[in-house]
Each structure stands twice: as structure tokens, then as C-alpha cells.
Amino acid sequence: ILFWQLYAIKQQINEYHAMVKSQELKNERMIKNQYTEQRKVQVKQNEKTLIKMDEIFTKEQIAQLKLAKDHNIDYRIIANPKLSHKQMKVLREGLELGVNVKPYAHPEFDPLCMMYYNDCLDNHIDIKPFLSSKYNAQQLFQLALASEAGVNIEKLCNPKFNANEMSEIRERLEAKIWKDQLVKKDGSWI
């Protein structure tokens, strides 16, 4: 029994010496490679930044910002936390088309209207005469049709007119028959 105990102690001593020698070799390697930079990643700081980003933007908004960055688009244009992720998506798609989305990159614009503005600009239609967050997509369609037809849209530009009223006014302006009154469904003038 004493022999086995002595043998075990000798094994432990040999393992200890091997470990010390291994540590010395590691230290020697560290000294030889003096140009290696020992830097730590500031994990705590990065976590705080990511947490703050999560507080500012939703996951869907962050996804749109990442897509914009991945597509080499100036994501600062859409990095407004007040924009919904749908608005961010439409604006990002407009930027991918190469159109200037800045005039309607505001939270008060409906995403459908933003899509319509993207389409108009992509087809070289001037949106300045009907650029307003007060219009819905159907109204914008009527205004764009009138603009394309060369009609003076001044009489159409009232956001209080619904799309049907705008359509009627546009059709009269195109036909060069104009009355300031609108037609009721029964055919009489309002």
C-alpha cells in the first residue's frame, strides 16, 4: 500500500511540474509576441447600447434599419422612431428605387400614400402639387390622374373632397365642362 501511495504522490508531482513548465512556455510565447494587442470587448457597454436601441425602436423597425444598411442605403433617413415599421419599409423601398423620399419621410404620412408617392416619383410624376399628409391614397390617385392629364388641379386640391368628388371634378375639368356645384346621386346639383 505504501508503494502505491508513493507512486501516486510522484505522479502528482510530475503533473505539477508539467503544468508549471506548460505555463512557462505560454508566458514565453506571450513575451515573444509583444506586438499582440490585448483588448477586451466592452460587452457591458455594448449591452447598454443595444438595450437603448431596443427601447428606442421596435424589432420590426430595427429589421428595416438593418435591411437599409445591408442594401447600402442611407438608413439615417428612415431612422425616426416615430415612423412605423411599415412606413420605414415603404421609404426604404423608395430609396432602393432611387427616389427622393425625404419630402414624405414623416410619421403623419400614411404608408399607402408613401407607396403612391414612390410610384409617382419612379414614373417621373411631379408630386409637389399634391404633397400633403392630409390626402388618402384614393385622393392622391385622382390628383395624379389630373396632373398627368394636364388639368389644373387647383380646384381638386381640397383634402375635404372625398375621392369620388375629386373624380367628378377631374372628369369635368378634363372635358372642359365646369360647374362649381357637385352632382348628387339623383342627378341634381348640390
Side-chain angles (χ1 to χ4, degrees), residues 4-131:
W4 290 111
Q5 288 175 341
L6 288 173
Y7 181 76
I9 292 171
K10 188 174 181 180
Q11 277 300 107
Q12 288 175 348
I13 292 170
N14 286 341
E15 288 175 15
Y16 176 76
H17 286 296
M19 184 183 74
V20 168
K21 193 170 191 173
S22 171
Q23 187 63 36
E24 288 173 355
L25 285 172
K26 284 182 185 175
N27 289 341
E28 186 178 297
R29 285 187 204 125
M30 293 285 283
I31 292 168
K32 285 182 181 177
N33 193 358
Q34 63 184 346
Y35 301 104
T36 301
E37 294 181 8
Q38 299 293 324
R39 294 187 184 182
K40 289 186 177 182
V41 174
Q42 302 296 324
V43 176
K44 296 265 187 213
Q45 185 64 33
N46 289 350
E47 284 175 355
K48 288 179 185 175
T49 303
L50 289 173
I51 288 169
K52 190 163 182 130
M53 187 171 179
D54 287 341
E55 290 173 6
I56 295 171
F57 296 103
T58 65
K59 290 179 183 178
E60 294 87 2
Q61 288 173 316
I62 292 170
Q64 290 303 318
L65 291 168
K66 286 181 181 177
L67 279 172
K69 186 176 180 186
D70 291 345
H71 294 151
N72 295 320
I73 293 170
D74 187 1
Y75 58 90
R76 294 174 300 171
I77 295 171
I78 66 170
N80 180 349
K82 292 179 183 176
L83 291 170
S84 72
H85 71 278
K86 291 178 182 178
Q87 290 172 314
M88 286 181 165
K89 179 182 183 208
V90 173
L91 293 169
R92 177 186 54 79
E93 290 170 345
L95 290 167
E96 288 174 359
L97 289 171
V99 300
N100 179 15
V101 300
K102 288 180 184 177
Y104 50 94
H106 303 285
E108 53 273 359
F109 282 89
D110 181 80
L112 285 174
C113 294
M114 290 176 165
M115 287 173 67
Y116 199 78
Y117 287 132
N118 282 351
D119 189 51
C120 286
L121 290 173
D122 191 40
N123 289 302
H124 309 289
I125 298 170
D126 184 19
I127 64 169
K128 288 177 191 167
F130 48 90
L131 180 65

Side-chain angles (χ1 to χ4, degrees), residues 132-187:
S132 173
S133 63
K134 294 177 183 173
Y135 298 121
N136 63 38
Q138 293 82 16
Q139 290 171 314
L140 287 176
F141 178 70
Q142 292 302 321
L143 291 167
L145 283 176
S147 180
E148 284 183 69
V151 173
N152 182 353
I153 64 171
E154 194 174 309
K155 294 189 187 268
L156 289 171
C157 284
N158 187 345
K160 292 180 182 175
F161 291 145
N162 66 38
N164 290 334
E165 292 170 330
M166 285 184 165
S167 174
E168 184 178 328
I169 294 168
R170 177 188 54 78
E171 289 171 4
R172 284 198 230 154
L173 288 170
E174 286 175 353
K176 300 193 188 316
I177 52 169
W178 177 252
K179 269 196 171 251
D180 282 333
Q181 297 93 1
L182 296 173
V183 178
K184 289 184 181 178
K185 288 184 181 178
D186 67 359

